[in-house]
Amino acid sequence: MTSTSELSLEALEDVAKRIRRDIVTMIAAANSGHPGGSLSAVEIFVVLYFRIARHDPNKPDWPDRDRVILSKGHATPIIYATLAEAGYFPIDELLTFRQLGTRLQGHITTGTPHGVENTAGSLAQGLPYSIGQALAARMDGRDYRVYCVLGDGELNEGSIWEAAMSASHYRLDNLTAIVDRNHIQNDGFGDETLIPQNQRDEHTGAWVRADGHTANIMSLEPLADKWRAFGWHVEEVDGHDLVALIDALEQAKSVKGQPTVIIAHTTKGKGVSFMENNPVFHARAPSPEQLEQALREIG
Amino acid sequence: MASVSEKIAATREAFGPTLIRLVQQGLDIAVVDADLGVSTTAAAFGKEFPGRFFSVGVAEQNMIGVAAGLAGAGKTVFASSFAVFVPYRCYDQIRISLAYPKANVKLVASHGGLVTGEDGFSAQALEDLTMMCSLPNFSVIFPADVVESARAIEMAAHTPGPFYIRTFRPKIPVIYSDDFRFELGKAHQLRDGRDATIIAVGEMVYIALQAAEKLAAEGVQCRVLNMSSLKPLDERAITAAANETGAIVTAEDHQIRIGLGSMVAQVTAGSHPVPMEFVGVHDRFGESGKWEELLEHFGLTSNAIADAVRKAISRK
Ligand SMILES: Cc1ncc(C[n+]2csc(CCOP(=O)(O)OP(=O)(O)O)c2C)c(N)n1
């Protein structure tokens, strides 16, 4: 199968729902893992693996496959759940996540299981890797495309902007980066945009955590302008809108002479009320009761 | 003082609270954080002293530069992250901006070693101690429990120059009582014996004590040294151990080829060679799992230490 086999929009929505269920279930089973940044990227992964990317679960080494690079390598539940759903390995194996001896390591490692392209977990190494893959496609005269999924927090790292510079320098129009713009990183909100009113410091506007610590981690705005200044074509979409994502990714294919970045506006923890926009669930497993509630809400 | 207590704690927990006390005592401290302040407990300091706390985001290279600048302006600076990011992501910056100019910056790196657990290899620093011991001018400390961790941080704050202090994530039994005094460059003897010496660092110290107890039940008496001060290294204590007990076993949650074991062997090779065995990680990466399971899987257990002691003694 190449995933260009057109699933209906409804079918894609069902896949997204199943992937969300798998994500919370596997994290609860491991009692460890990163739900927030996995749930925010579900639609991005569904669209990539079930509509846009050329790939074949039976031929993970196919030289002409499109490459999906997960730069924020802690978000393993989203890539493992998607690969399982796409047929790369049995869905039951998700329950071995993070256990001693598992193929489903806490952070991604190349080729284990099949379908995982890169090794990560230390942030901001996926975009440079993607550039290498895009350059190799050009050297070999192959027409595969490279899709790199980035966290917004990881854009704090210098290596991202070094890579951003080289991608436009080399006019890599076979490269599309997708920023999961959920506004939350490890310790809290990156900037002020999405901080709930009752969690703001009245003078500075900064986020005040439940324990009283006040901090915004790092502001990124104006983000689209930054990418433009680095020579990229920029698209901004609702990152939970399947149609908008498909349109933007199709659009990127026709942009010539420069790389495209899609800033996908998302909600961290999307689909589970107590995880949504809640920094605590960056890296926390739901309790058994919370899992039940999460599965109920996802439906 | 040498008996393991009922209390359990992680060495990382000492960080924020100790710095808060130091500022209350009048030290001019600044803290720089790279989006891991909740885990390292730097955030607890930031809550208390927001004007002394700077978040640079996920940007370890920048963090080191900012820390160096603050130190250059006279501050006593603490910068923290996980041990896989500081020093790995910013080693060049550490070497140039901290080590050579002897900057007054203390790196407190949490989540060292296999015991970081489920995140797996990318989060398990197993080479950091070597990297940091390799740099001239740096002092390197790997405390065994939360009390020693607090004392080491206090000492570093009061001692000019760059420090690297590794802490760990899981809660383990507390070894020291609150009146413990940390001395830089001094091994701390937790138990004496004539048959062999176990030299350990970090959480392996308490596991070494368990091994020594097992061996004592068989009539094998071990000296146990906590070598938390890896640099400067207490060469006299190592040579004395070789001299007086005739066999040495080292234990570390770190690569053995380039860690505590090789540093100890270098000392004994030059002073008093004795049979040695090395408990630690043997040229592999870590993997995902619960921390207790990982120690078992990688052979970092009291049984492994006891076996190593028997083997070293048999080679006397
Ligand atoms: C180099 C590096 N520094 C620090 C970390 C620790 N860390 C893990 S996830 C994270 C926040 C990432 O935020 P973001 O990229 O926005 O991911 P998301 O919110 O989508 O999960 C941090 C700081 C890391 N993995 N790598």
Side-chain angles (χ1 to χ4, degrees), chain B residues 59-76:
Chain B
E60 297 77 11
Q61 301 174 56
N62 188 35
M63 176 168 73
I64 300 301
V66 170
L70 285 161
K75 307 291 170 196
T76 297

Side-chain angles (χ1 to χ4, degrees), chain A residues 34-38 40-41 71-75 107 120-125 150-157 179-188 217 220 266 268 281-283, chain B residues 34-36 57-60 81-82 84-86 89 119 122-123:
Chain A
H34 298 77
S38 295
S40 61
S71 189
K72 52 165 191 166
H74 59 278
H107 295 159
S122 178
L123 291 165
Q125 303 192 25
L150 295 160
D152 53 357
E154 86 175 312
L155 305 185
N156 298 168
E157 290 278 7
V179 177
D180 180 357
R181 182 70 170 124
N182 60 33
H183 292 268
I184 296 177
Q185 30 196 115
N186 195 79
D187 279 357
I217 309 303
L220 288 173
T266 59
K268 199 151 170 171
F281 279 97
H282 169 73
Chain B
D35 196 16
L36 284 170
V58 198
E60 297 77 11
S81 179
F82 288 179
V84 278
F85 308 130
V86 169
R89 175 61 61 98
D119 278 352
S122 74

Side-chain angles (χ1 to χ4, degrees), chain A residues 209-264:
Chain A
R209 230 177 37 206
D211 70 2
H213 177 56
T214 305
N216 294 341
I217 309 303
M218 185 51 58
S219 310
L220 288 173
E221 293 299 339
L223 185 57
D225 289 345
K226 284 190 175 70
W227 286 101
R228 274 188 210 105
F230 276 77
W232 289 57
H233 173 76
V234 180
E235 299 273 336
E236 293 202 60
V237 299
D238 173 345
H240 299 303
D241 180 338
L242 294 167
V243 175
L245 280 167
I246 292 168
D247 285 351
L249 284 158
E250 289 295 352
Q251 171 74 19
K253 290 184 187 171
S254 61
V255 173
K256 294 298 166 212
Q258 64 179 154
T260 294
V261 59
I262 297 170
I263 299 177

Side-chain angles (χ1 to χ4, degrees), chain B residues 64-268:
Chain B
I64 300 301
V66 170
L70 285 161
K75 307 291 170 196
T76 297
V77 186
F78 282 81
S80 62
S81 179
F82 288 179
V84 278
F85 308 130
V86 169
Y88 294 65
R89 175 61 61 98
C90 46
Y91 195 52
D92 180 10
Q93 283 81 357
I94 291 172
R95 180 171 179 268
I96 301 294
S97 297
L98 305 187
Y100 187 88
K102 302 188 182 126
N104 197 22
V105 174
K106 328 297 172 183
L107 305 176
V108 179
S110 76
H111 292 58
L114 289 172
V115 291
T116 297
E118 289 87 345
D119 278 352
F121 102 91
S122 74
Q124 292 160 334
L126 297 173
E127 302 84 15
D128 56 315
L129 296 172
T130 314
M131 293 170 78
M132 297 312 301
C133 285
S134 304
L135 289 175
N137 299 335
F138 253 91
S139 301
V140 179
I141 306 168
F142 185 11
D145 77 353
V146 71
V147 176
E148 184 174 39
S149 178
R151 296 296 169 276
I153 289 166
E154 285 163 9
M155 182 278 310
H158 285 104
T159 312
F163 277 79
Y164 179 80
I165 300 175
R166 187 214 250 202
T167 64
F168 51 76
R169 172 174 180 248
K171 291 180 188 294
I172 63 149
V174 176
I175 297 171
Y176 293 114
S177 56
D178 285 336
D179 56 5
F180 173 72
R181 282 202 52 217
F182 180 84
E183 278 185 89
L184 185 63
K186 280 275 186 302
H188 190 258
Q189 185 170 311
L190 286 159
R191 182 182 180 116
D192 204 6
R194 292 255 135 217
D195 299 322
T197 300
I198 309 169
I199 302 180
V201 284
E203 75 277 15
M204 293 311 290
V205 172
Y206 111 85
I207 295 171
L209 286 171
Q210 292 177 330
E213 241 156 69
K214 277 186 194 157
L215 288 162
E218 305 169 7
V220 177
Q221 301 299 338
C222 290
R223 178 177 296 181
V224 177
L225 295 179
N226 170 10
M227 200 56 72
S228 52
S229 176
L230 283 161
K231 194 181 175 193
L233 189 64
D234 191 343
E235 301 194 2
R236 279 183 48 191
I238 294 169
T239 300
N243 241 323
E244 294 161 20
T245 70
I248 293 177
V249 169
T250 57
E252 61 194 304
D253 186 354
H254 192 266
Q255 305 284 0
I256 56 156
R257 294 217 176 149
I258 50 172
L260 168 75
S262 44
M263 288 190 264
V264 170
Q266 195 173 35
V267 174
T268 59

